[in-house]
Amino acid sequence: MHILITGAAGFLGQRLAKHLLQNPALKTLTLADIAPPPIPKGDNHQDKKIYGLQADLTDPQAVQALVSSDITAVYHLAA
């Protein structure tokens, strides 16, 4: 399972990321925000790929770079 969270640097994005990282089915988590999103600390995600990307969602090229065919779900928390 590959999940993308937009607005991932914010309060809700960080809490959601920590919660999702506890799911054993999660393989890849992409965190995106206008400011570089921090990777949640902890040892519950050693076997997962986690990417923190700075991206402006008003830029079509940035959005195109974020979205891929292997994404299972998107949590859009950017405001």
Side-chain angles (χ1 to χ4, degrees), residues 1-3 20-21 23-30 45-51 70 72:
M1 179 168 39
H2 180 179
I3 295 178
L20 290 172
L21 286 168
N23 184 338
L26 180 70
K27 300 296 180 211
T28 306
L29 181 62
T30 303
H45 54 275
Q46 293 174 342
D47 60 338
K48 297 170 182 19
K49 295 177 187 172
I50 306 169
Y51 302 99
D70 69 330
T72 308

Side-chain angles (χ1 to χ4, degrees), residues 9-59:
F11 176 76
L12 290 177
Q14 285 291 295
R15 291 189 54 109
L16 176 60
K18 287 179 186 178
H19 178 74
L20 290 172
L21 286 168
Q22 296 174 9
N23 184 338
L26 180 70
K27 300 296 180 211
T28 306
L29 181 62
T30 303
L31 307 173
D33 207 316
I34 191 104
I39 304 298
K41 294 183 178 11
D43 59 355
N44 60 342
H45 54 275
Q46 293 174 342
D47 60 338
K48 297 170 182 19
K49 295 177 187 172
I50 306 169
Y51 302 99
L53 305 172
Q54 182 174 0
D56 182 353
L57 297 181
T58 64
D59 179 2

